[in-house]
Each structure stands twice: as C-alpha cells, then as structure tokens.
Amino acid sequence: MRVTGDPSTVTTVGIHAPETATTRPPGSAVSADPIALSGKPTVMGRIAVLEVTPCVDGGRWPAKAVVGEAVPVRATVFREGHDAVAATVVLRRPDGSVHSRRLMTEISPGSDRYGVVVVPDAMGLWSFTVEGWSDPFESWHHAAEIKVAAGVDVELMLAEGAAVLERTLVGLPPVDSDAGGARRVLTDALRALRDIATDPARRLAVASGPDVRAVVEQFGLRDHVSVSPALSLTVERERALFSAWYEFFPRSEGARRDPETGRWTSGTFATAARRLPAVADMGFDIVYLPPIHPIGRLNRKGPNNTLVAGEFDPGSPWAIGSAEGGHDAIHPDLGDADDFAAFVATARSLGLETAIDLALQCAPDHPWATTHPEWFTTRADGSIAYAENPPKKYQDIYPLNFDNDPVGLCAEIRRIVELWISRGVTVFRVDNPHTKPVQFWEWLIGTINAEHPDIIFLAEAFTRPAMMATLGRVGFQQSYTYFTWRTTKAELTGYAEYLAGDSADYMRPNFWPNTPDILHAFLQSGGPAAFRLRAALAATMVPSWGMYSGYELYEHVPRPGAEEYIDNEKYEYRPRDWAAAERDGRSLAPYITRLNAMRREHPALQRLRNITFHPTTDDSVIAFSRHLPADQSPTGRPDTVLVVANLDPHGARESIVDIDPATIGAGPTFDVRDMVTDRQWTWGVRNYVRLDPYVEPVHIFHVHH
C-alpha cells in the first residue's frame, strides 16, 4: 500500500510523541497513543518491526548490491491482537531522497515474515527502512467478511466500514489534485454501504471491490506507523558482481629460448598484447596479470620452487623488489610505463579491463628493506623474518609488519595503489589479504573507493571462513572461494547455498577451477571431461569466475606429490603454442567461449541469490537452476537456466531429475534447449537424463517460458 508524503516524519524507532495532524501523511490516523503520552521513549514501535535484512553484523557495515540488482528485503512485522498489519520498504538514494516505496508481502501465512525486492539504479551509499503499520481497511474487511456471511452484527460491520472509508476520503489530497477519481470511487462505495435497501453482501462486495482496493492501495489509512532503524546498502558497478577473469604471465607470452645457450629472452608487454584478442574472443572481460615488478635476486627460487636459482632463472614474480625498484616499478624485461600503457589501451579497445596483483610483500633486496626496515619483522638474531605457511617456506619473500609504523606504511601503500590507478588499472587481485590487518583493508578500500568508486578489489584468501567473510564485510568486492576443493554433489550444493544465502549480502564469490598454485587432483586425473565439467560449474553456479592460462590446453601434470603444476610458471617461462593447439583440435577455447556467451546472454547467470538445487536419484549427478522472474530481470522477461551435470569424469551416469516447476516459473511441462548441443526436449516434474563424460558431461538448458 503506497501513501503520499514522507512517513519518516511520523514515527521514529522509539515512541517519543503521538502523531499529529501536521506530521501524519494523508490517510494516516490521528491518534493519541497512551504509551507515547507516558513520555518514556521505547526501542519498540507500536508495531513490532524486527530482524530486518539485509543487515551485516547489526548494521555495522553496509550490505552490498550492484546497479540494477534486485535486493531482497525481509522483516518480521506484527502487533498485538488480531488487527491486520502491513509493511513497506522505503528505499532512499545517496542524497537522501526517496527512490521508491514497496509494499511487502507475507512470505508464508502466519510467519509474520514479510519481504519484497528493491532495485537501486545508481552507484553510491543507499539506505532503506521498513515501516510497519496497522491496516484499518484490512482489519475491517476480514471481520466483515466473516460476520456478514454469518448474519452477525451486519449493519454494525457495514457502518464501521463506512467509517474507515470516510477517514480515507478525508485524507485524500486536495480537490484540485489527481485524486478526483479516487474521491468518486470512495463516495460511491460509501453510498453503497449506507444503502440499507440493498442486500448486505452486495454492499460489502462494492465496498471491497477492485476499484476501492486500488484507491486504498494508493491512499489508504496507515495507523501507528513504526519505522525500523535505517540500514545502508553500498551499490557498486555491475562488474563487481558479474565478471569473467583470465590470468596469464606476460613474461611467458613471446618468451624465447636460445637452443645453443639455453638462455631465455622474456616476453614483453608488446608480445603479451598479442594474446589479448584471443582472451577477448573467449568472452573474458578482465585480464589479470601476476606481479609485473622487478624480482628480487637474494634467495631467488629456481624451477619448481628449488632453493637455488640459476644465473638466468627469472624467479617468482611474487618476490617483489630489487635494485631496479619496488612496487611502483615495472620489471625492465617487460618494458616501461609507456609499454604498460599501450597494453592497457589495447585491452580496453577489446573490452577488457586490466587487473594487476597487489602483493604486499617484498624480496630481501626490495628498496624498503633498506630504507624502512621497521616495516618488517625482525627476529632475535637481527635478521628479517621471511614468509612461512608450514610446510611451505618462502625464503625469497619478506612479509610486511603493520605494528611499528602503520601510518607511514599505509600512506606508501595508498600511494602505490593510486599510481597504478593513474596507469589505467581498474581491478586489484590482492595476494594473501588475510595476512594483513583487516582494519587496514577497511581503511584502504574505503579510502580508494571514496575517490575511485569504479575500482574493484578481489581477495585471494584461501583461509578460515571467518576471515574470508570479514574481508568481504569490510569492503572487498569479490572473494576467492573453496570451489577448487568442492567436487562432490553434497559439497557443491552446501557451499553454493551458503554463498547464495545471507553471505551474499557482503561476500561475492569468484570460482576458479585452477590457479598457478593449485592443480587439484580432480583435474590431474579426470581427463578432458573434468576440465569441461569444472569450467561449466564455475561459469554457471556464481556470477564471477576465472581461470589460469593453460586450462584451455588441459594442462594437468603435477609436480610429484603436490597439488601444483610441474615446471610451475611461477618460477620459469612457459610459452604455449596456442595456434598448434587450435589447429590440432586440442583446445577447450571454443567451449569456454560458449560458456561466456551464455553468461552474457542470460541475466539469470549474472546474479548470485537465485540458485535452486533439484533432487537427483544419482549422487554423481547434480542439478540446479538459476531463475529470474520478469520483475527482477533487466530485460523485463523471465529468464531461467537449468544445469544438469555428471560429476564423474570417468563414466556415464543416469538419473531422474525432479523439478518443481514453480521454482523456475514454468508450467507442468516446459521446453528446454541445451545451449551446448542445441538439442531440445520437453521436460516436466520427473525427467530422465543420461550424461556420458566422453560426449558431453553437462546439460546447460535454456528454459523456454
């Protein structure tokens, strides 16, 4: 039910004063509430409005959304006795003006839990409140339906209805407004209610008919309006939620090895730029570069993480800093600032944003180790402590210590981030953010986004759930996840439901089937079907996904006994013959291209909260849908994608898939088209599938409405 005026002037969270004729909106009751007149402020309004969501840690941080995203707002609303209550969400723009008021509906009868979606349409810090109120019209109509039908207090009930409509009529806007039609409807309804010569049932039907209800919805009475505390909603650009990442090492693209001396010549930004059209053609929108800074020589790692590097071994890019410079410098083998600018410009011309690694750590010969030793941890013997993650040791890396000079260190890091933004970087993939103070990230991201609201930070934090969630709360726009290690139906279902639940208010997941550090056993032994399967799941279960270069070539050989690649690109050059792979039909690129095209074509795959899992009779088969109803879809039409996947890459599986058509906005039967094979079927409540991983391990259906 919508009203004119500003209800926020009527009642605050606690009851401090009764409504008056000057503060109430049109249609509201004039009341002298004895509780309010006692003069004692209370936290509870006359109408209980509780458990409002989205609410991150009691409102300590804003919930998150992107422009055009349908955000579900929920609240528990009730009052004493049996009178009807209702609730409205008031959404306010960053400037404080009212964007919209949406009537909430009860989620399930008798639950007192109400909900509706709101859709912010611009970036900025929005806010919303929930107004609970007593509904005199519905209270009267509910009682009148029962009593008039039973012949009890008939004329009394009709008279009370007339009183409600009379109050509504008095509260209408002035005669010269656009409420003339409403005034005529109410006047006719009042005449009908008072016409004692007409059958009472007929009089009641007129007074509660569609015309009257339309007027009541717009101008109806709202008694005892109680307003929840305001909650904040950070609205960011679409890319913060929906993105496709491609990671590659610039030094490997165009790298050459002298067959006589064995010495390598590094690739450059110019040679790396030649790879960008292929990345864009596959449908990615963010190209992510590992650190591009000078690499330390002290304790440099050799091939496969060996402790001794050869004279010409390039070392790990994450061991940042040398005599050539630190985090603000570019590795001279890659080029200079102009070459990087040309790379960024080429990427932008292809529709690609450039992401770089923000790795806040240093090689032992980083300039900071000399100029600012207080930024590191000094051990009892006077040496600087290197990084460890037992059993892994990183002798080539010094972690930063924020305890000794936080002001100086924070100022320097901000300077570095601002520098790379000025060079065209719009996205930062942050290495190991869980090893730095959370307070620091809240400050840095808040400070940067205040000046540059388009900048996106991705947290690479494969760590404890509490830390991952908190990094999302304090500002990270995206987060790496445990997807790489979730391979069974139960694991995938539970994890996806968690990510699409309350955590969606603050943590946006990004699914990666592989990284330079991680080659899961599933990919090591699963063959090409495993690569197709994991790419399909990553691309369709959540709005953001990414992959590390070489995935499209089915690279799967591990270092013995390790969950990482043999001849790891972190420690050596790894040029790839892309043309030969495509020529020989050994590339997954066409499949990846199709996945990204589906994601762009279907708004349902661009949202997080809309996943539903469907029962299957074989636990090696998983089925889920991503559905957007018409009122939440940017196209104004419903959109549904249904995915059925065989999680066993080694053998064919058969299963019955049960679908509740209501969950996908369909009728008892519906047509589906596999967007991979272009085959079509008619489905219903129970459906048989057989998926052979050596043919196609995954159905990705578009449901025709």
Side-chain angles (χ1 to χ4, degrees):
M1 185 173 293
R2 185 176 67 82
V3 299
T4 57
D6 186 353
S8 67
T9 63
V10 178
T11 310
T12 57
V13 180
I15 304 176
H16 300 288
E19 296 173 0
T20 68
T22 57
T23 60
R24 65 184 179 91
S28 289
V30 177
S31 64
D33 192 325
I35 299 175
L37 289 175
S38 69
K40 288 187 176 182
T42 61
V43 173
M44 182 72 70
R46 176 62 184 275
I47 308 300
V49 181
L50 307 170
E51 300 168 325
V52 179
T53 63
C55 178
V56 179
D57 198 23
R60 190 174 183 181
W61 292 284
K64 291 179 179 176
V66 298
V67 174
E69 180 182 4
V71 180
V73 178
R74 304 284 185 264
T76 299
V77 182
F78 61 92
R79 65 163 295 172
E80 80 286 351
H82 302 288
D83 283 358
V85 296
T88 305
V89 175
V90 181
L91 181 65
R92 294 182 180 276
R93 301 181 182 89
D95 65 4
S97 62
V98 173
H99 172 270
S100 56
R101 291 188 174 91
R102 298 291 308 279
L103 180 68
M104 306 173 79
T105 57
E106 197 169 13
I107 295 172
S108 59
S111 68
D112 294 327
R113 191 72 177 158
Y114 290 76
V116 74
V117 298
V118 297
V119 184
D121 55 12
M123 293 172 61
L125 185 61
W126 293 58
S127 65
F128 65 94
T129 53
V130 172
E131 299 173 347
W133 38 281
S134 186
D135 187 339
F137 180 85
E138 285 300 330
S139 296
W140 162 74
H141 181 254
H142 175 71
E145 274 195 316
I146 297 171
K147 291 188 175 184
V148 170
V152 176
D153 296 335
V154 172
E155 290 302 328
L156 177 61
M157 293 308 302
L158 296 179
E160 289 185 353
V164 169
L165 295 186
E166 187 70 49
R167 286 175 54 203
T168 306
L169 182 63
V170 170
L172 289 179
V175 176
D176 58 354
S177 71
D178 59 357
R183 184 169 281 101
R184 285 190 296 274
V185 168
L186 292 179
T187 300
D188 291 345
L190 283 167
R191 185 180 301 111
L193 280 173
R194 292 164 175 161
D195 182 5
I196 60 174
T198 302
D199 177 69
R202 173 60 182 164
R203 292 153 66 189
L204 176 61
V206 171
S208 58
D211 290 344
V212 173
R213 285 194 170 276
V215 171
V216 169
E217 182 171 339
Q218 185 172 9
F219 300 109
L221 300 171
R222 305 195 326 161
D223 286 353
H224 308 302
V225 176
S226 301
V227 186
S228 74
L231 293 171
S232 298
L233 186 67
T234 294
V235 180
E236 298 171 307
R237 65 186 178 110
E238 177 82 3
R239 187 70 70 235
L241 174 66
F242 174 62
S243 59
W245 295 54
Y246 185 89
E247 175 183 6
F248 76 97
F249 287 67
R251 72 185 186 186
S252 289
E253 292 299 324
R256 303 184 310 279
R257 185 175 181 271
D258 188 313
E260 295 183 2
T261 65
R263 182 171 179 176
W264 283 91
T265 299
S266 172
T268 65
F269 286 128
T271 59
R274 299 171 194 160
R275 179 67 184 150
L276 292 176
V279 175
D281 287 345
M282 282 189 286
F284 292 98
D285 41 54
I286 295 176
V287 57
Y288 155 49
L289 309 181
I292 55 176
H293 315 297
I295 298 172
R297 294 191 173 276
L298 291 177
N299 299 337
R300 177 177 288 190
K301 295 292 187 73
N304 291 307
N305 202 23
T306 55
L307 295 178
V308 179
E311 180 182 1
F312 302 113
D313 287 332
S316 168
W318 281 272
I320 297 171
S322 70
E324 289 93 346
H327 286 74
D328 52 1
I330 292 173
H331 197 300
D333 287 355
L334 298 176
D336 57 21
D338 290 338
D339 297 316
F340 179 74
F343 178 92
V344 171
T346 300
R348 187 179 296 118
S349 71
L350 296 167
L352 291 164
E353 297 189 45
T354 301
I356 67 167
D357 209 289
L358 182 61
L360 299 182
Q361 59 212 28
C362 302
D365 42 339
H366 190 292
W368 290 349
T370 301
T371 60
H372 289 284
E374 70 276 11
W375 291 352
F376 305 92
T377 298
T378 303
R379 306 183 71 177
D381 62 1
S383 64
I384 294 178
Y386 58 76
E388 294 185 76
N389 184 16
K392 295 181 179 180
K393 294 186 177 182
Y394 303 92
Q395 295 90 339
D396 55 341
I397 291 174
Y398 287 168
L400 295 174
N401 185 322
F402 284 76
D403 293 342
N404 300 323
D405 179 24
V407 174
L409 182 55
C410 290
E412 175 65 357
I413 293 169
R414 178 182 177 182
R415 181 189 71 83
I416 289 165
V417 172
E418 293 276 9
L419 172 66
W420 288 104
I421 292 172
S422 73
R423 290 173 172 173
V425 172
T426 55
V427 183
F428 293 90
R429 179 269 194 187
V430 179
D431 191 64
N432 286 330
H434 54 287
T435 61
K436 287 80 181 173
V438 174
Q439 180 188 39
F440 160 73
W441 292 120
E442 182 176 21
W443 168 82
L444 179 67
I445 296 172
T447 300
I448 294 298
N449 283 156
E451 296 286 335
H452 311 281
D454 284 350
I455 300 300
I456 293 170
F457 291 86
L458 167 67
E460 184 254 6
F462 300 119
T463 184
R464 300 185 306 278
M467 173 60 85
M468 292 176 68
T470 302
L471 290 169
R473 288 185 178 100
V474 302
F476 276 95
Q477 281 81 12
Q478 294 186 15
S479 303
Y480 275 21
T481 65
Y482 302 134
F483 168 74
T484 314
W485 298 276
R486 301 294 187 261
T487 58
T488 70
K489 176 182 174 180
E491 290 170 339
L492 288 165
T493 301
Y495 196 44
E497 288 179 338
Y498 159 74
L499 293 170
D502 291 344
S503 68
D505 293 339
Y506 53 84
M507 192 172 86
R508 302 189 186 106
N510 196 319
F511 278 8
W512 288 65
N514 75 326
T515 76
D517 280 328
I518 305 168
L519 175 63
H520 191 273
F522 194 88
L523 295 179
Q524 295 178 21
S525 61
F531 281 76
R532 293 173 79 86
L533 168 66
R534 295 299 287 178
L537 292 176
T540 60
M541 292 189 86
V542 294
S544 285
W545 82 295
M547 67 180 225
Y548 156 56
S549 178
Y551 189 90
E552 63 269 55
L553 302 185
Y554 307 104
E555 292 178 358
H556 66 281
V557 181
R559 184 165 61 85
E563 192 184 61
E564 62 183 49
Y565 293 90
I566 190 73
D567 303 327
N568 196 303
E569 194 171 3
K570 282 181 63 176
Y571 307 103
E572 53 191 279
Y573 301 104
R574 191 165 185 160
R576 298 171 173 89
D577 193 339
W578 303 106
E582 292 187 17
R583 185 172 58 250
D584 299 341
R586 294 183 292 107
S587 175
L588 191 60
Y591 187 73
I592 293 165
T593 302
R594 187 72 197 106
L595 289 175
N596 281 329
M598 295 174 198
R599 287 163 47 82
R600 290 193 304 271
E601 293 164 5
H602 290 281
L605 295 177
Q606 300 168 19
R607 295 295 179 255
L608 175 58
R609 297 175 172 92
N610 61 334
I611 193 166
T612 301
F613 286 88
H614 305 281
T616 62
T617 54
D618 186 330
D619 280 344
S620 289
V621 176
I622 191 171
F624 60 90
S625 59
R626 307 286 304 283
H627 173 64
L628 273 188
D631 63 345
Q632 297 182 25
S633 173
T635 65
R637 300 185 300 275
D639 185 49
T640 305
V641 174
L642 173 62
V643 180
V644 184
N646 177 3
L647 301 178
D648 178 2
H650 303 291
R653 293 283 182 162
E654 300 178 10
S655 179
I656 298 296
V657 180
D658 292 327
I659 304 290
D660 177 358
T663 62
I664 59 173
T669 62
F670 48 92
D671 294 329
V672 297
R673 179 178 66 86
D674 190 318
M675 294 185 285
V676 177
T677 65
D678 207 34
R679 296 183 64 189
Q680 299 190 54
W681 291 269
T682 297
W683 273 37
V685 176
R686 290 181 65 80
N687 312 277
Y688 167 80
V689 295
R690 183 181 189 275
L691 287 166
D692 186 337
Y694 297 100
V695 180
E696 283 295 341
V698 184
H699 284 312
I700 307 177
F701 294 127
H702 175 217
V703 178
H704 294 275
H705 292 283

